[in-house]
Amino acid sequence: QDNRISIWSVGDLGNVGLSGEYQGEPQLLCDIRHNGDVMDMQFLDQERIVVASSTGTVTIFRHHQNNQTLSANQRWEKAHYHVDQDTSCGGAACTGVISSNPEIVTVGEDGRINLFRADQKDAVRTIDNADSSTLHAVTFLRTTEILTVNSIGQLKIWDLRQQRNEPSQIFSLTGDRVPLHCVDRHPNQQHIVATGGQDGMLSIWDIRQGTMPVSLLNAHEAEMWEVHFHPSNPDHLFTCSEDGSLWHWDTSTDISEKPSFLHQGGRSTTYFSHNTINQSVVSAWLSNDPTKDRMEITNLIPNQTLSVNSLDILGPCLVYGTDAEAIYVNRQLFA
């Protein structure tokens, strides 16, 4: 019921142990109360953080670095709601938020999409009945286009320049309409998109062709909560799941040049047979079964128990949070 947004400092690289785990104690710099569950959050810029709440409210918090405090900078009350914005219980969870300063896009359980600007009190644009089911996640495809995933297995593209309240394209998983929980697009090849859902499968889509995934990869044994391409090295993809695992998918070409961290003890690494044809990086994700050509999958959490709810990654640094009420930082992904 009573939650907090916290800013932590995880110190400098000098304190890394042999296994890549950070040695020193992370320092809590500051925190602030937050109403409702924190469903999603993202930095808008160096000092502002956009936070999505289960109450339907979207808040921008500012981190004042001079005196290490947090304050609410801007708030859109009940940006998401079921009946109407005025009823006390009318809020619907805001499930996802993505920002490209100053634009902020939010999606929610109410099937609504909002476009906000950080300096404006009212929404720039709202698509009220964007979806008849819950929207679980959103990401930018380009500056004017977004991708959403919903609870009936659909991936939709929306062009925010168009005034129509219809998606410009709809893609869907065949068959069971398995809810999709997360989406990310390849940082350089914008037509390549990865999604994950309730059945733990990883789906790779090519939005230039067809309406179905190019490949479906067996991954986790329970819901996949998050999928991320490495922002600067997108041969690498990371997924985490309710089953307590966090997988590193590696499609980079030469297995003999693999960094040694993949061979440390206590990590289960799966090698797949490799074709001799040296395909380009792009087609590694788009071949019908990437695992046939070359794909190495490593579970980065050997003794998995509780759900891994979220992950983020930058450079050699991976951070993830679990139901053990712990945040883990691994600073030597490619050591």
Side-chain angles (χ1 to χ4, degrees), residues 32 59 80 102 130 139 145 184 196 201 253 267 273 275 309 317 324:
I32 192 169
T59 312
H80 295 274
T139 193
E145 286 182 300
D184 196 26
M201 297 278 279
T253 349
R267 304 249 166 113
S273 62
N275 289 352
N309 301 319
C317 198

Side-chain angles (χ1 to χ4, degrees), residues 39 53-57 80-82 91-96 107-110 135:
M39 304 296 287
S53 170
S54 58
T55 64
T57 295
H80 295 274
Y81 53 92
H82 282 305
C94 176
T95 50
V107 296
E109 270 178 13
D110 53 358
L135 289 168

Side-chain angles (χ1 to χ4, degrees), residues 226-297:
E226 196 109 57
V227 57
H228 279 299
F229 284 101
H230 191 289
S232 53
N233 196 348
D235 304 354
H236 300 268
L237 178 102
F238 297 83
T239 59
C240 64
S241 166
E242 180 71 28
D243 67 11
S245 60
L246 193 163
W247 284 18
H248 172 187
W249 305 71
D250 179 0
T251 61
S252 55
T253 349
D254 188 1
I255 211 135
S256 63
E257 292 173 12
K258 280 283 172 280
S260 59
F261 81 96
L262 289 170
H263 308 296
Q264 291 177 4
R267 304 249 166 113
S268 56
T269 302
T270 316
Y271 289 106
F272 292 98
S273 62
H274 287 242
N275 289 352
T276 46
I277 308 158
N278 184 2
Q279 294 174 303
S280 71
V281 170
V282 185
S283 57
W285 287 118
L286 292 184
S287 65
N288 290 338
D289 182 3
T291 51
K292 273 204 190 71
D293 302 321
R294 43 155 205 274
M295 169 95 71
E296 205 177 349
I297 302 170

Side-chain angles (χ1 to χ4, degrees), residues 106-243:
T106 71
V107 296
E109 270 178 13
D110 53 358
R112 214 173 245 102
I113 298 174
N114 291 306
L115 172 63
F116 296 111
R117 280 183 72 101
D119 45 6
Q120 291 180 19
K121 197 163 73 69
D122 296 320
V124 178
R125 173 96 191 271
T126 294
I127 305 177
D128 274 329
N129 300 310
D131 214 300
S132 55
S133 61
T134 294
L135 289 168
H136 280 144
V138 59
T139 193
F140 277 102
L141 184 58
R142 309 187 169 74
T143 44
T144 55
E145 286 182 300
I146 56 166
L147 289 165
T148 59
V149 290
N150 69 11
S151 59
I152 55 170
Q154 293 174 320
L155 170 67
K156 297 183 182 180
I157 299 180
W158 305 82
D159 186 339
L160 298 172
R161 292 165 303 191
Q162 302 290 337
Q163 283 314 301
R164 324 181 286 130
N165 292 341
E166 302 291 319
S168 50
Q169 278 176 281
I170 300 180
F171 303 82
S172 56
L173 294 172
T174 45
D176 298 340
R177 300 197 152 215
V178 175
L180 291 172
H181 289 306
C182 51
V183 57
D184 196 26
R185 76 151 170 77
H186 192 290
N188 318 336
Q189 308 285 332
Q190 294 183 328
H191 52 277
I192 302 179
V193 174
T195 63
Q198 188 166 303
D199 57 1
M201 297 278 279
L202 172 65
S203 309
I204 305 290
W205 314 68
D206 181 348
I207 59 173
R208 299 169 306 182
Q209 52 179 346
T211 56
M212 286 155 36
V214 184
S215 53
L216 287 168
L217 300 167
N218 273 314
H220 302 279
E221 288 163 25
E223 292 93 340
M224 184 189 296
W225 291 131
E226 196 109 57
V227 57
H228 279 299
F229 284 101
H230 191 289
S232 53
N233 196 348
D235 304 354
H236 300 268
L237 178 102
F238 297 83
T239 59
C240 64
S241 166
E242 180 71 28
D243 67 11

